[in-house]
Amino acid sequence: MLENHQEYLKTSPYSLNKEEKRRQFTKYMNELTKYHFEHCAEYSLMLKSLNFSADKSYGLEELPFLPVGLFKEFEMISVPKEKIVKTMASSGTSGQPVSKVLLDSATARAQSRCLYYIVNSFIGNKRCPMLIIDTELVKKDPRLFSARGAGIIGFSMFGRDVFFALDQDMNLRVEELKRWIDSHKGNKIVMFGYTYIVWQFFRRVLNELKIFLDIKDGELFHIGGWKKLQVKNVDAKKFRHALKEVCGNIHVRDYYGMVEQLGSVFVECEHGHKHCSIFSDIITRRAKDFSPCDFGERGIIELMSVLPSAYPGHIILTEDEGIILGEDDCPCGRKGKYFEILGRLKSAEVRGCSDTYGQ
Amino acid sequence: MILMGNDIEYLVGGEVEKFSPLVPYSDLVCDFLSDLSSEIFKDERCKAFPDIISVAFFARQGNIRRLKKSFLDDKFRLGKGLAFHITPSNIPVQFIFSYFFGLLAGNANVVRVPSKNFPQINLLCDITNKILSRSAYRELYNMTAFVRYDRASDWTKFFSAKCQVRLIWGGDATIESIRKIPIPPRSTELVFADRYSLALFDEAALENLNERDIVKVAQNFYNDTYLADQNACSSPQLILWRKSATAKGRKIFWEAVEKLAGERYDFPPIKATGKYTDFCKNAIKFPKTGTLTKNNNVLYRADISELFEGLEDLRGKFGLFYEHDVDSLEELKDFVNEKYQTLTYFGFSPLELAEIVVNNRWRGIDRIIPVGKALDVGVIWDGYDLIGQMSRIVYHE
């Protein structure tokens, strides 16, 4: 499937205007939908129940979306089983079912290539020294081979002289870190980590030890939920400010992505907006009828990606809420839709009799 | 108050120590319920809670007299002793009904109430305390304890060891976990497991109604389903239709339901995605479910092309219904099993339906009630005569 998209995948990630993007993207989404409909049994049953017709050409907003919860229940693939080279699992809280996504080598390759294009557009083509704010153990311990481990492995490929800031017990390797930073004076440093880990095991410790890393030119990419930080009253602004305080002159970029669509991530620009690249798109939908929201209106987030070819994850309905702020007109100059994430949908008090002895 | 370890909080009453069981429907208990009912009707704070009002309606003198009349025979009975109730935490008033049944049977009662702070619980406890503090009800006070404690604590074990009847208001997983905790050899247990319920509607009967009565039927159906997120055991999942020549009946019915639910149902985004996810999962697991019919997200429905074994696992929440045409209820004969609980009907004679169940000797369906009554609890529930089950027979001719 991906063979047909090779040229498109080489396009600069934020270069297409909305007409061009829509034209191309609609075509790919239709192709992918049809492809998975024909190759994935579960997806096919779902689409039939939604009155999907393989002969019809759909507008972007009309294409059926797969609810993200299905990845917790079914192992859906659109390629022969023997082609699956790895299984990605979301990092769920213990006891909760996790999303399982099965990849073939073509999808896995395309994912890292796209991530590379996206990240490079922010840091330039030169390979930079890379600081991973996590433990190297996530790479080695199969129990941690979740989205967290995969994200780190995927990201660390862009850098050189990769340094893991935490030891296996999640302690900051203070002295080694200082030496490593000294040895790269004058170079741009790229940093990567999970939002909460960056805050709790990196920023907090540096702050307590009153250490200033004095990085002259750096880019910090961080990913992951804000829930644990909200409890501590830390928002994006406070986070950014606090990290600059301990690191020096760095850009702090939150980025959004799902294990179901690795690679085609949404990175935050200098103006704090998350951007769709040409590999991905976003629609927000109203709860009452799933009609698309207007720009500026809060809605349930649907995400699209050209990458998933081994499994039907190209159009998913998430359980997150967000607001699309505009398209092609962000002051940062990047083309594509840009948006803001508002977090998980609020859970509801479900009535009725069920197993609730626990509460 | 957060309960830790082995803390226990008594919301009503105290430790139940010395007591003697009462006869079922004793005057003392009937008077108490009647006073409680009047107090609820009088209390301004209760007006905002239809479920509390339903408690008052159940407990009022006329209703209890009627129940008493249909229960009493020439047997001599007494309550079994101490009843220990584990009530569901997401139906705010269930605990008090369970308490009423225990009292009416003649028992002392320890009732574990939900730890969630529903305002209904505080109100009901407040009023119960007030009535129980009257000197006339001193004896009932000594037979009553509404408790809250942490599930991980030893209290379930403690009360289980003392009780003569244990009631577990469901779910299968809760029953499984509590069954590991022993009760004394002669004690019995009433459990309310996960069940499956359905509705049977006659299209022609709907077509004969005027607009106002259609709305009434839709309102009744709404109360059976949306009111508890379609998540109660007795809320119908499957709607069976006896088809009319025009097939107009279901159209006007669903239009009325959709309109009503659109106006009244609290429908946050998480319910929209939850319902959609359930529908898609079901489409994959049960290939015989048909395509989705919907105008918006409030009402989803889908036809089942043919009935199949394991139908009871096909479930929806938040207004997701499956439909199937039948000529008679009898067409269910190969599928009904002990999971089937409530049959809600419109346009049928209940006797005729009960006959079908009994004559075919089905293992399931133990409630046949008109549309609108699915969530009403009563002394006969889930196939049990609760008062009979919680009392013992001392003498009979």
Side-chain angles (χ1 to χ4, degrees):
Chain A
M1 188 69 224
L2 280 164
E3 303 82 74
N4 311 342
H5 303 164
Q6 289 311 324
E7 275 312 304
Y8 184 73
L9 295 186
K10 284 183 197 152
T11 317
S12 169
Y14 302 100
S15 63
L16 294 184
N17 65 34
K18 55 185 170 199
E19 292 79 19
E20 187 58 15
K21 162 92 180 272
R22 179 170 283 268
R23 193 180 64 75
Q24 301 240 34
F25 210 79
T26 306
K27 178 169 156 272
Y28 292 138
M29 286 300 114
N30 270 285
E31 281 174 18
L32 277 165
T33 302
K34 208 170 291 179
Y35 175 83
H36 292 302
F37 178 69
E38 281 157 8
H39 291 85
C40 174
E42 292 86 2
Y43 188 65
S44 169
L45 282 166
M46 179 191 119
L47 256 51
K48 279 181 193 152
S49 78
L50 297 170
N51 294 302
F52 175 77
S53 155
D55 308 323
K56 211 179 130 186
S57 194
Y58 289 87
L60 216 48
E61 283 78 10
E62 302 160 5
L63 280 162
F65 33 87
L66 183 120
V68 71
L70 260 57
F71 287 102
K72 292 185 179 153
E73 186 121 358
F74 306 104
E75 290 188 357
M76 293 174 284
I77 50 172
S78 304
V79 292
K81 235 189 173 142
E82 54 275 16
K83 289 231 165 164
I84 297 301
V85 292
K86 62 177 162 186
T87 304
M88 302 294 313
S90 64
S91 34
T93 23
S94 58
Q96 298 291 327
V98 293
S99 286
K100 270 172 131 184
V101 177
L102 297 102
L103 302 178
D104 63 350
S105 55
T107 305
R109 236 185 357 255
Q111 286 177 345
S112 41
R113 197 157 348 115
C114 280
L115 185 63
Y116 178 78
Y117 290 144
I118 291 172
V119 173
N120 271 2
S121 85
F122 286 86
I123 61 175
N125 284 327
K126 239 177 75 195
R127 283 166 90 89
C128 304
M130 184 166 293
L131 174 64
I132 304 279
I133 303 170
D134 211 318
T135 161
E136 197 163 5
L137 211 62
V138 286
K139 269 173 67 180
K140 294 174 181 155
D141 189 336
R143 280 168 307 174
L144 297 176
F145 195 76
S146 54
R148 182 171 148 207
I152 284 168
I153 292 169
F155 214 93
S156 57
M157 290 188 325
F158 311 130
R160 62 184 171 88
D161 192 16
V162 178
F163 179 82
F164 284 81
L166 308 178
D167 69 13
Q168 53 184 3
D169 301 315
M170 302 296 280
N171 296 312
L172 188 64
R173 301 161 64 195
V174 179
E175 291 312 314
E176 293 105 310
L177 174 64
K178 282 202 237 163
R179 274 201 300 277
W180 184 85
I181 293 204
D182 275 344
S183 72
H184 292 293
K185 278 260 154 13
N187 290 316
K188 184 199 273 288
I189 290 177
V190 177
M191 306 153 78
F192 174 81
Y194 287 86
T195 309
Y196 178 72
I197 292 173
V198 170
W199 182 263
Q200 191 63 12
F201 300 98
F202 183 71
R203 184 266 164 195
R204 183 182 56 85
V205 180
L206 289 172
N207 191 50
E208 277 171 15
L209 299 174
K210 301 205 176 355
I211 295 171
F212 177 58
L213 293 176
D214 196 17
I215 297 171
K216 301 282 186 231
D217 180 13
E219 294 276 348
L220 166 63
F221 293 86
H222 66 100
I223 186 168
W226 284 87
K227 224 192 249 156
K228 286 187 198 158
L229 290 183
Q230 269 162 5
V231 178
K232 297 174 190 281
N233 254 323
V234 179
D235 61 6
K237 203 171 154 194
K238 194 164 170 189
F239 184 90
R240 204 176 304 139
H241 181 76
L243 272 137
K244 285 183 175 192
E245 228 171 46
V246 292
C247 289
N249 181 33
I250 60 167
H251 281 125
V252 180
R253 302 183 189 278
D254 186 8
Y255 84 77
Y256 176 65
M258 317 214 73
V259 68
E260 292 81 5
Q261 292 182 346
L262 285 175
S264 54
V265 296
F266 306 88
V267 182
E268 203 173 66
C269 73
E270 301 72 46
H271 301 274
H273 302 147
K274 300 211 170 46
H275 278 261
C276 295
S277 66
I278 61 154
F279 313 118
S280 62
D281 211 348
I282 180 173
I283 293 171
T284 45
R285 295 194 180 271
R286 299 176 179 130
K288 67 173 165 100
D289 55 6
F290 288 149
S291 59
C293 298
D294 298 326
F295 288 178
E297 181 185 349
R298 180 190 191 113
I300 306 165
I301 293 177
E302 171 188 335
L303 294 177
M304 291 181 268
S305 168
V306 295
L307 299 177
S309 67
Y311 61 93
H314 59 301
I315 310 180
I316 55 180
L317 186 70
T318 71
E319 284 165 2
D320 290 336
E321 271 187 303
I323 298 173
I324 301 179
L325 301 166
E327 185 169 17
D328 291 359
D329 55 3
C330 178
C332 77
R334 289 177 185 82
K335 295 277 198 288
K337 285 183 198 156
Y338 55 98
F339 59 95
E340 182 189 345
I341 302 285
L342 300 168
R344 275 292 160 91
L345 297 180
K346 221 174 124 238
S347 64
E349 187 81 59
V350 177
R351 288 162 283 191
C353 33
S354 57
D355 289 301
T356 47
Y357 172 51
Q359 293 318 307
Chain B
M1 170 168 178
I2 296 168
L3 294 166
M4 305 282 289
N6 278 337
D7 288 353
I8 186 163
E9 182 186 1
Y10 285 86
L11 295 119
V12 172
E15 277 176 63
V16 177
E17 282 167 339
K18 285 198 97 164
F19 68 91
S20 302
L22 299 160
V23 298
Y25 292 98
S26 64
D27 290 343
L28 183 64
V29 168
C30 294
D31 289 348
F32 168 67
L33 291 187
S34 167
D35 285 358
L36 195 73
S37 171
S38 318
E39 187 65 29
I40 293 173
F41 282 129
K42 260 198 318 213
D43 196 316
E44 284 298 320
R45 298 171 299 171
C46 296
K47 297 229 153 64
F49 300 98
D51 47 356
I52 295 189
I53 299 302
S54 77
V55 170
F57 268 104
F58 177 86
R60 76 193 190 281
Q61 200 175 39
N63 187 49
I64 300 297
R65 270 198 195 138
R66 190 179 57 78
L67 294 174
K68 179 173 182 172
K69 216 174 132 202
S70 70
F71 179 79
L72 287 189
D73 48 26
D74 50 10
K75 297 187 178 70
F76 285 63
R77 297 176 204 252
L78 278 171
K80 284 195 169 176
L82 178 67
F84 173 37
H85 310 245
I86 293 162
T87 66
S89 74
N90 48 0
I91 307 181
V93 303
Q94 183 68 38
F95 76 97
I96 201 135
F97 280 111
S98 198
Y99 170 61
F100 290 171
F101 304 149
L103 268 186
L104 285 170
N107 295 292
N109 299 279
V110 173
V111 183
R112 183 186 192 255
V113 306
S115 50
K116 274 185 211 150
N117 263 324
F118 291 110
Q120 291 98 317
I121 296 180
N122 296 333
L123 265 172
L124 285 170
C125 287
D126 195 28
I127 293 169
T128 309
N129 267 324
K130 186 171 167 193
I131 307 294
L132 276 181
S133 69
R134 295 181 188 165
S135 59
Y137 300 124
R138 178 96 218 135
E139 182 164 17
L140 294 185
Y141 179 89
N142 291 334
M143 294 171 76
T144 300
F146 291 1
V147 295
R148 262 188 184 140
Y149 58 80
D150 187 79
R151 154 191 197 171
S153 71
D154 293 330
W155 288 106
T156 298
K157 210 167 150 187
F158 176 79
F159 294 122
S160 293
K162 287 181 31 164
C163 71
Q164 277 66 55
V165 191
R166 183 166 67 184
L167 296 92
I168 310 170
W169 285 93
D172 291 358
T174 299
I175 293 168
E176 197 191 326
S177 90
I178 294 175
R179 276 222 170 123
K180 293 185 185 125
I181 300 168
I183 48 178
R186 227 188 95 72
S187 298
T188 55
E189 192 166 66
L190 296 176
V191 296
F192 303 94
D194 293 336
R195 306 294 300 272
Y196 176 74
S197 294
L198 66 167
L200 175 63
F201 291 163
D202 183 55
E203 268 196 305
L206 280 163
E207 286 161 18
N208 290 332
L209 299 179
N210 63 32
E211 209 174 305
R212 239 188 54 212
D213 289 339
I214 292 272
V215 173
K216 221 182 247 168
V217 177
Q219 169 74 61
N220 282 333
F221 182 76
Y222 177 91
N223 290 347
D224 287 350
T225 53
Y226 286 92
L227 207 58
D229 289 324
Q230 203 192 348
N231 199 33
C233 294
S234 52
S235 290
Q237 301 287 337
L238 172 69
I239 318 299
L240 297 173
W241 289 99
R242 184 159 70 188
K243 225 170 150 175
S244 74
T246 62
K248 240 181 66 196
R250 95 186 62 182
K251 194 171 158 283
I252 48 178
F253 170 76
W254 286 125
E255 279 169 5
V257 170
E258 186 175 297
K259 184 160 178 280
L260 204 70
E263 288 161 5
R264 299 207 186 157
Y265 189 43
D266 170 41
F267 195 64
I270 193 83
K271 290 188 184 173
T273 57
K275 173 150 73 175
Y276 182 68
T277 305
D278 283 346
F279 176 79
C280 294
K281 276 185 191 169
N282 286 342
I284 294 169
K285 285 196 202 154
F286 306 95
K288 282 179 180 149
T289 60
T291 58
L292 178 61
T293 303
K294 64 158 186 160
N295 290 320
N296 54 48
N297 284 341
V298 173
L299 173 64
Y300 276 19
R301 52 200 185 93
D303 270 312
I304 301 174
S305 55
E306 60 181 302
L307 299 176
F308 52 89
E309 229 169 288
L311 194 60
E312 66 274 11
D313 294 323
L314 175 62
R315 283 163 183 273
K317 273 201 294 275
F318 315 128
L320 164 56
F321 304 99
Y322 292 93
E323 301 179 82
H324 184 69
D325 289 340
V326 292
D327 293 320
S328 157
L329 182 65
E330 257 177 306
E331 288 172 40
L332 276 179
K333 69 174 185 305
D334 294 333
F335 311 104
V336 171
N337 57 32
E338 55 283 359
K339 280 252 166 199
Y340 283 58
Q341 187 202 51
T342 298
L343 174 67
T344 308
Y345 64 84
F346 179 78
F348 288 85
S349 132
L351 281 176
E352 183 193 319
L353 300 175
E355 258 167 30
I356 292 175
V357 174
V358 173
N359 293 345
N360 283 291
R361 297 149 69 191
W362 285 351
R363 298 177 61 164
I365 298 187
D366 31 48
R367 248 183 112 218
I368 299 172
I369 38 131
V371 62
K373 305 262 179 227
L375 302 187
D376 292 8
V377 267
V379 291
I380 310 247
W381 183 256
D382 225 20
Y384 298 119
D385 163 11
L386 294 176
I387 309 302
Q389 298 266 354
M390 287 196 277
S391 56
R392 66 193 168 90
I393 296 170
V394 178
Y395 174 77
H396 70 102
E397 300 229 320

